[in-house]
Amino acid sequence: MAGSGNNHLRENTDDTLLRVENLVVEFPSGRRNKVHAVSDISFDIMEGETLGIVGESGCGKSTTAKAIIQLPKPTAGKVEYQGTNLTELDKEGMRQQRPSIQMIYQDPISSLNPRRTVFNIVNEGTRVWSTEHGAAQEQKVDEMIEAVGLDPREAKTRRPHEYSGGQCQRISVARALVLDPKVIICDEPVSSLDVSVQARILNMLQDMKEEYKLTLLFISHDLSVVKNVSDRVAVMYLGKICEIGDGDLIYEKPTHPYTRLLLAAIPDPKNKHKDITDILEGELPSPLNPPSGCRFRTRCPRATEKCAAEEPEFRQIGNDDHWVACHFPHIEGDDLGPNDEISWPPDPQK
Amino acid sequence: MSHETETPSTLLKLDDYRVGFRTERGLAKAVDGVSYELNSGKTLAIVGESGSGKTVLNRGIMGLLGSNINESGSVKFQGEELVNTNRQKFWGKKMAMIFQDPMTSLNPVMKVGKQVSEPLRLHQGMSRKEARHRTVELFTLVGIPEPSQRFDEYPHQLSGGMRQRVMISIALAIEPDLLIADEPTTSLDVTVQKYILDLLVEVQKESNMAMTIITHDLGVARGRADEILVMYGGRVMEHAPAETLFNEMAHPYTSALLSSIPKLDDPKHTRLTPIEGFPPDIVDGPDGCKFAARCQYAQENCLSELPDTTVKGDHSYACFYPIGTDEGAKAFASNAERGHTAAGLKIRAKEEVI
Ligand SMILES: Nc1ncnc2c1ncn2[C@@H]1O[C@H](COP(=O)(O)OP(=O)(O)OP(=O)(O)O)[C@@H](O)[C@H]1O
Ligand SMILES: Nc1ncnc2c1ncn2[C@@H]1O[C@H](COP(=O)(O)OP(=O)(O)OP(=O)(O)O)[C@@H](O)[C@H]1O
Ligand code: SF4
Ligand SMILES: [Mg+2]
Ligand SMILES: [Mg+2]
């Protein structure tokens, strides 16, 4: 496997709000195969902290997010929320935890009930979960709808299909925020928003973080957005975490070959990593039959036999909050990196 | 907008195109007088506020809005007038659209492979076997791993980005004369995004296809489009070749939009600067410039008169006080002096322009 070991986990204290250990999620595929969507990943999030997750499409980000709220229950591993292992809870136990863990789903339009008015959609959760009632609660719903930039009066009669894509996304944000959750798991919460509305929502999340110690797991393909909102960032590839740590460090000095390629591809004329010319090519690996050793090796410009034989363990870079799972990371003063030309193409032998 | 005479390569030409939804409160004018031209082989990016009418504009062009609308103005496609006609005969080979939310446009109870191969059989007369073969080829092309296995899976079994690539492969299968892609890469990581956009450009070169890309990613718009159209409140605010828009932007809305982007160089948690206020009501909107209430340059006449479109070569914009002109500089200075705009909006420090 690629990226093993739990060296990068911090001490489990009262401040640890969410701690995911050795999470595995597999889906059956066809009669005999299975999709290794998430393979043995671990991370922790402190109260009031934001962990950003980035990574290749299909690498298991949404699956990780959903596994936290037990949809579906993971194949193996632990999801500890404020000291409770959620994987051991029954339906009722999980129901009690749900108001404080909210999720914003990736597909904004299809995750909203098309037959209900937008007001009712946002109100839905409060009716089930909230302690407030009647006018006070309705006012809160209105305020939240307004806070995401929509007109609360219109929300009373209009249904999701009468709104634009970005407006639907804001409805899901409002629906999650109105319940005063402790954690919000955001799967691409701003992908359909124009940059101005996006800025407004990101500022709002930041305010809630400062005011109520809101904790966030934030998945996005927009690397500038992830950098802005996150304290720490995890980079995923094919069901594994390959680099994790302080966001500014990872963006400043990416060390995993995949992280470097990812940052190099950001379409921004001022991107300072754009000169990294290693090309991401090679055989596209399959989550049905992931490569042995390091999962990135089939496309990695630095791969050697060792990468096929052994899965790299997380190692710390200096004394920083910066961890990488790679045999040959790009670390200054570290001359472990083999000559790229000699090692390419990697040995396809397993 | 440039109103040149139609050359043979003009594929699409809009003139004062309008779409209104009939609602309880009255007509919701989602597209309110849009004009532009698009030539074969060219790419137009449409950017703008959420709710500014980008999707409605393009669904309108395609004739995909149902009957509860009022449509007026002109949309000419290959010389033929489309407004208030049935456009079904153009769907497929002539024009195709990749929709914004793949989950709602893919059929949830139909295998994804079938959703691509059916149109191939229908439009290109392939046999079942040929169509399956071609579909697997297309899945490989757009980078869906284990393509033949995926053929028999349902949309919910795919990741968001794979679903989006299924949609893209449908469009590639057809190679239409006009491809409209509504946020085609929002669920893709930047490496796959780059690959897919390269792929679209390749297909475009081969088939001389024209493309409209609706996107919120201004980096993509700048890097991939020949021209950029900036929309706000159902209208075109600015329209220019991509580099011109960034280097010589004239419209205060364009500038405000750009300054709200998080910058890669900024440290984490840098406070962002959204545009203050809210977009205009599209049922009962303002008389003057649609952006006036939120504009740092707004003067009294902006609130009552609709600015004409100024055309300077291939650059056009609708503003009384454009950036980079004396009028613009004066307007901003006078607002800065009184501390607020004609609409009462507080002036903040000069916007940083990228
Ligand atoms: N319900 C399911 N049944 C079978 N396979 C699934 C299911 N859900 C996800 N998968 C598979 O698990 C893998 C990971 O998918 P996931 O949706 O977590 O990716 P992602 O990182 O969120 O990607 P994206 O950025 O494209 O949204 C993919 O190969 C996907 O096809
Ligand atoms: N069926 C409908 N009935 C009434 N109003 C509608 C309908 N569909 C869209 N609208 C309104 O028309 C306006 C334009 O919507 P459109 O979907 O074109 O926005 P957009 O620019 O694509 O936004 P986004 O970037 O959020 O997708 C919005 O204010 C929306 O609420
Ligand atoms: S060098 Fe080896 S371990 Fe590091 S990313 Fe490449 S293949 Fe994986
Ligand atoms: Mg996902
Ligand atoms: Mg849209």
Side-chain angles (χ1 to χ4, degrees), chain A residues 29 56-57 107 109 149 154 170 192 194-196 200 203 206-207 221 227-231 246 262 267 286, chain B residues 25 50 101 143 146 149 161 163 165 187 189-190 216 219 257 264 266 268-272 275 277-278:
Chain A
S29 170
E56 179 153 73
S57 167
D107 286 292
I109 304 174
E154 285 187 359
R170 283 180 271 166
S192 308
D194 68 90
V195 288
S196 168
R200 183 191 298 263
N203 282 348
Q206 185 64 28
D207 291 343
H221 285 304
K227 183 177 181 203
N228 183 278
V229 298
S230 309
D231 298 293
D246 178 85
L262 191 66
S286 156
Chain B
R25 290 177 54 224
S50 165
D101 189 339
E146 300 282 335
Q149 185 109 18
R163 291 196 285 263
R165 280 176 280 172
S187 308
D189 67 272
V190 286
H216 287 302
L257 196 65
L264 207 52
D266 287 347
K268 58 192 178 190
H269 309 316
T270 301
R271 192 79 183 164
L272 301 169
I275 305 172
F278 294 100

Side-chain angles (χ1 to χ4, degrees), chain B residues 58-105:
Chain B
N58 284 284
R59 289 185 82 106
I61 293 171
M62 294 279 299
L64 287 168
L65 287 173
S67 55
N68 199 24
I69 58 157
N70 284 2
E71 201 184 17
S72 68
S74 160
V75 175
K76 280 200 172 146
F77 179 74
Q78 296 177 336
E80 208 171 315
E81 181 58 53
L82 300 186
V83 169
N84 291 316
T85 66
N86 183 330
R87 284 150 246 193
Q88 209 158 351
K89 67 172 179 190
F90 292 106
W91 296 349
K93 197 61 208 141
K94 296 278 178 194
M95 45 166 97
M97 184 158 175
I98 300 173
F99 296 101
Q100 185 165 8
D101 189 339
M103 204 52 185
T104 45
S105 35

